[in-house]
Amino acid sequence: MRAFPKTKATVVAALMTSATMVAADDVEVLHWWTSGGEAAALNVLKQDLEGQGIGWTDMPVAGGGGEQAMTVLRARVTAGNAPTAVQGLGFDILDWGKEGALADLNEVAAKEGWDEVVPDALKAFAKVDGKWVSAPVNVHSTNWVWANKSVLDANGIAVPTSWEDFTAALETLKAAGITPIAHGGQAWQEATVFDAVAMSVLGPDGYKAAFVDLDEATLGSDAMKEAFDRMAVIRANVDDNFSGRDWNLATAMVINGEAGFQMMGDWAKGEFLNAGKVPGEDFLCFRFPGTADQVTFNADQFMMFDQGGPVSAEQAALASAILSPSFQSAFNVVKGSVPARTDVSDADFDACGKQGMKDLAAAAASGNLFGSMAHGHAAPASVKNAIYDVVTAHFNGEFDSETAVDELVDAVSIAK
Ligand code: GAL
């Protein structure tokens, strides 16, 4: 039982405070952050809200990349029971916004000046018809490689800066009996690897033509065939038990030295940090060879689903908490991503985080910042899923690179 102070004035004040505390409803949040590193980052947000008297009803839906979460979301919305807030990516946010399913965040956005500090690349996926419909949490990027430093050192491997260096390193590790590439055999993970491989072969103009403009000639080009040939090389360097493995278990293989590399978005860094590992000492982070000047990004955002009226006080408080500079630093330091605001200091970020922030600013300035195809920031879900199907079928040996290119052209032309 809460002990109330004795004098009348302080009793009234205390009652008011607790009344306010009780009045604030919980927020129910649907998300797919279920790995160790993701949960650690999410706790930063939960604690931030609890400090404001807003309770958190957690609705985790496991499944990297969010496909399963989006399936559950559609069922909830169809049943007329949308969660308060939902983790979402890129074109999925725009689809829900255009459906009119999302609350209008313009009041809190204007009060807090979001338009001035959130980069255009994120605003493109957070606003519909001039209305803010989601709160950007971070900026992840997918063209990273994570390496176990002692494994590379023991085998005399320097950070590879070309495809040839990379394949030579894979051969060295294979000869040493170490799994060269830790990988989880799930379509979204193959697509995440394909983001980087395609960028390295097609270059920025080719990547945009293929996955943003859906240009048939580029999708069917010899360069695209070369990208699939390189995917076959990567397939030849994963272990026999890769199929169905969750991404964070592949990261654990690099953490424990069972594998040399993992090609994954920088949410993988959250797993290294959660395991107490230090960049530059225990692990290395570097851009996939051939993509050093590019960033293929995906920003996590929280969509505030319309609860039958203007945005609720809790939704506005959640959005405000997410965009606060202090939270933006505290959360992204743990998550492995970089802030969704351009005015957050990199002081608290480790070497990989600092590089990520530097890379993002440089890529945005030089026209080398592109939405990740694999994580819903290049084309709508129907196209993304069509590409998933072709890339994963090829990775699993269902057809050769020549056929993969033809399948890709057909699948995208049907899906778009
Ligand atoms: C991405 C998401 C990341 C992380 C990753 C693995 O789509 O942006 O925050 O959750 O999936 O599940």
Side-chain angles (χ1 to χ4, degrees):
M1 179 62 184
R2 226 182 129 112
F4 280 109
K6 298 289 178 261
T7 61
K8 184 174 182 314
T10 42
V11 167
V12 169
L15 281 173
M16 283 305 291
T17 307
S18 39
T20 309
M21 296 284 271
V22 167
D25 290 332
D26 281 5
V27 288
E28 183 195 20
V29 183
L30 189 156
H31 63 86
W32 61 91
W33 287 335
T34 55
S35 77
E38 292 172 329
L42 192 63
N43 276 332
V44 176
L45 182 54
K46 289 181 184 176
Q47 285 153 16
D48 191 304
L49 288 180
E50 270 149 22
Q52 301 181 50
I54 298 176
W56 178 289
T57 301
D58 205 32
M59 191 180 173
V61 179
E67 288 311 303
Q68 293 81 348
M70 293 300 103
T71 301
V72 170
L73 171 61
R74 282 189 287 273
R76 286 284 301 267
V77 174
T78 305
N81 176 25
T84 317
V86 179
Q87 178 189 357
L89 296 171
F91 279 89
D92 291 342
I93 300 170
L94 298 183
D95 288 347
W96 284 111
K98 288 170 190 157
E99 293 256 326
L102 304 181
D104 180 348
L105 297 175
N106 271 1
E107 191 178 332
V108 61
K111 192 161 63 133
E112 300 183 358
W114 293 2
D115 277 293
E116 286 69 50
V117 293
V118 175
D120 291 346
L122 265 58
K123 278 194 276 209
F125 295 109
K127 297 177 78 170
V128 171
D129 301 332
K131 192 171 77 167
W132 281 88
V133 295
S134 64
V137 183
N138 61 16
V139 186
H140 274 302
S141 53
T142 58
N143 57 314
W144 286 103
V145 184
W146 309 90
N148 181 298
K149 186 176 184 299
S150 54
V151 165
L152 266 57
D153 291 349
N155 289 281
I157 295 171
V159 170
T161 54
S162 69
W163 174 250
E164 292 66 30
D165 289 350
F166 188 57
T167 51
L170 301 179
E171 287 308 314
T172 302
L173 292 172
K174 195 176 273 190
I178 295 167
T179 298
I181 298 176
H183 176 68
Q186 296 166 350
W188 76 270
Q189 293 191 60
E190 271 100 57
T192 302
V193 170
F194 194 60
D195 258 353
V197 171
M199 179 63 84
S200 72
V201 176
L202 296 166
D205 296 344
Y207 183 96
K208 178 179 180 297
F211 302 127
V212 179
D213 306 335
L214 309 182
D215 169 63
E216 198 165 297
T218 312
L219 287 164
S221 64
D222 290 345
M224 190 63 78
K225 179 188 173 299
E226 171 62 18
F228 279 109
D229 286 343
R230 294 187 181 188
M231 289 298 285
V233 171
I234 288 166
R235 169 64 184 82
N237 282 279
V238 302
D239 66 297
D240 293 342
N241 303 316
F242 80 98
S243 185
R245 180 184 287 132
D246 286 337
W247 69 271
N248 53 307
L249 300 183
T251 312
M253 290 168 69
V254 179
I255 289 170
N256 67 30
E258 195 185 330
F261 300 107
Q262 182 186 20
M263 294 173 63
M264 188 43 68
D266 42 17
W267 45 89
K269 197 193 73 178
E271 299 305 301
F272 283 96
L273 299 186
N274 197 48
K277 302 302 179 185
V278 178
E281 288 174 31
D282 304 305
F283 68 96
L284 303 172
C285 57
F286 56 94
R287 293 294 176 186
F288 183 71
T291 72
D293 296 332
Q294 283 81 39
V295 170
T296 46
F297 80 94
N298 59 293
D300 289 306
Q301 305 200 40
F302 276 110
M303 301 179 274
M304 306 298 170
F305 271 76
D306 189 335
Q307 304 288 314
V311 62
S312 70
E314 294 72 31
Q315 287 176 320
L318 174 56
S320 177
I322 287 167
L323 267 295
S324 78
S326 56
F327 169 79
Q328 280 288 318
S329 183
F331 173 86
N332 284 294
V333 158
V334 176
K335 185 70 171 63
S337 37
V338 301
R341 297 175 63 119
T342 54
D343 61 347
V344 174
S345 161
D346 70 354
D348 293 342
F349 288 80
D350 62 28
C352 294
K354 286 182 164 67
Q355 179 175 343
M357 291 173 77
K358 187 163 144 276
D359 292 349
L360 178 66
S366 66
N368 276 296
L369 179 61
F370 299 92
S372 157
M373 170 280 295
H375 291 266
H377 281 72
S382 58
V383 173
K384 178 193 78 172
N385 292 328
I387 297 171
Y388 274 24
D389 292 347
V390 174
V391 169
T392 199
H394 170 266
F395 196 81
N396 287 293
E398 286 180 34
F399 36 70
D400 64 17
S401 299
E402 196 84 38
T403 308
V405 168
D406 295 340
E407 292 289 332
L408 186 65
V409 170
D410 293 348
V412 170
S413 66
I414 293 165
K416 66 184 179 186

